[in-house]
């Protein structure tokens, strides 16, 4: 029934057909949070997840551990002003700045977004150009974001200082995780 709020299926390796059935069921009974971390989701499987994401019931989505670098375009159409998502985990998704730019550009459209996890994506700050300018540009445009995780993303001391400089422009941000960045 509609009392189930969260379903975590991390490391279960469902087939694409199973992902479709899971997402159909999640949509039909209004599941609020879905965890599909570390499941080697295919592009087709991610299309089913995007369908759930834009269904209007998704408040939390964990896609961590799935290689999304070349598939972010599948999720982007689901990001709009009517989407109720509050938490999004893209930790360890092989993201780089090129894959992140359209996502960060779209995230300010999510009025309820409170938490995003971008941890364990080392290419975000080890390639040039890095993700710093994008974060400095778009974090202030997310007025209700309270928490961001950037653990193990190859932050340098200069990156950390530059991020700290933008914090006063982020009135609701109260938690910044930059652990596991050896350079700092």
């Amino acid at each position: 029934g509609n009392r189930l709020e969260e379903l975590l299926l991390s490391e279960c390796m469902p087939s694409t057909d199973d992902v479709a059935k899971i997402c159909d069921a999640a949509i039909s009974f209004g599941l609020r949070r879905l965890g599909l971390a570390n499941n080697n989701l295919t592009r087709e499987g991610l299309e089913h997840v995007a369908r759930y994401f834009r269904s209007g019931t998704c408040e939390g989505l964990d896609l961590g551990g799935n290689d999304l670098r070349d598939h972010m375009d599948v999720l982007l159409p689901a990001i709009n002003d009517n989407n109720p998502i509050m938490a999004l985990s893209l930790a360890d998704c092989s993201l780089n700045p090129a894959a992140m730019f359209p996502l960060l550009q779209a995230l300010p459209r999510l009025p309820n977004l409170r938490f995003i996890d971008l941890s364990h994506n080392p290419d975000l700050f080890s390639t040039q150009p890095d993700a710093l300018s994008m974060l400095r540009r778009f974090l202030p445009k997310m007025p209700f974001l309270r928490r961001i995780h950037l653990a193990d993303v190859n932050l340098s001391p200069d990156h950390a200082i530059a991020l700290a400089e933008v914090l006063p422009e982020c009135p609701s941000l109260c938690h910044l995780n930059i652990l596991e960045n050896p350079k700092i």
Side-chain angles (χ1 to χ4, degrees):
N2 61 3
R3 291 179 295 211
L4 183 65
E5 294 182 8
E6 182 173 31
L7 179 61
L8 301 177
L9 295 168
S10 301
E11 299 181 16
C12 292
M13 303 302 172
S15 68
T16 299
D17 288 339
D18 289 338
V19 171
K21 292 173 187 171
I22 291 164
C23 291
D24 287 342
I27 292 167
S28 71
F29 62 81
L31 185 71
R32 292 172 41 197
R33 294 179 302 278
L34 179 61
L36 290 169
N38 297 304
N39 278 309
N40 293 324
L41 291 176
T42 64
R43 184 175 185 84
E44 186 181 349
L46 194 58
E47 288 171 357
H48 296 296
V49 173
R51 188 168 42 82
Y52 162 68
F53 186 48
R54 71 176 163 265
S55 71
T57 62
C58 178
E59 292 179 3
L61 184 60
D62 182 359
L63 295 175
N66 292 290
D67 187 347
L68 303 180
R69 180 184 308 225
D70 298 324
H71 308 301
M72 292 304 292
D73 60 309
V74 174
L75 289 178
L76 291 175
I79 298 175
N80 60 54
D81 297 345
N82 299 320
N83 194 307
I85 192 155
M86 295 171 54
L88 179 62
S89 177
L90 299 173
D92 193 22
C93 288
S94 303
L95 299 178
N96 61 18
M100 279 298 301
F101 181 74
L103 177 69
L104 285 174
Q105 197 172 23
L107 288 179
R109 288 187 238 144
L110 297 171
N112 298 313
L113 187 65
R114 303 291 186 270
F115 169 68
I116 185 161
D117 188 352
L118 300 173
S119 299
H120 309 294
N121 286 294
D123 288 347
L124 289 179
F125 290 92
S126 62
T127 59
Q128 290 300 320
D130 60 38
L132 178 63
S133 63
M134 290 180 270
L135 286 171
R136 287 180 54 100
R137 178 177 172 191
F138 294 111
L139 281 179
K141 294 180 179 182
M142 296 182 234
F144 301 109
L145 186 69
R146 297 186 54 77
R147 219 180 150 112
I148 184 168
H149 286 195
L150 294 168
D152 186 30
V153 292
N154 282 328
L155 281 175
S156 71
D158 290 339
H159 291 130
I161 291 167
L163 281 173
E165 289 171 349
V166 78
L167 294 180
E169 299 173 41
C170 306
S172 294
L173 192 64
C174 59
H175 182 97
L176 173 64
N177 178 344
I178 56 172
L179 297 171
E180 300 176 45
N181 286 290
K183 294 177 189 172
I184 57 171

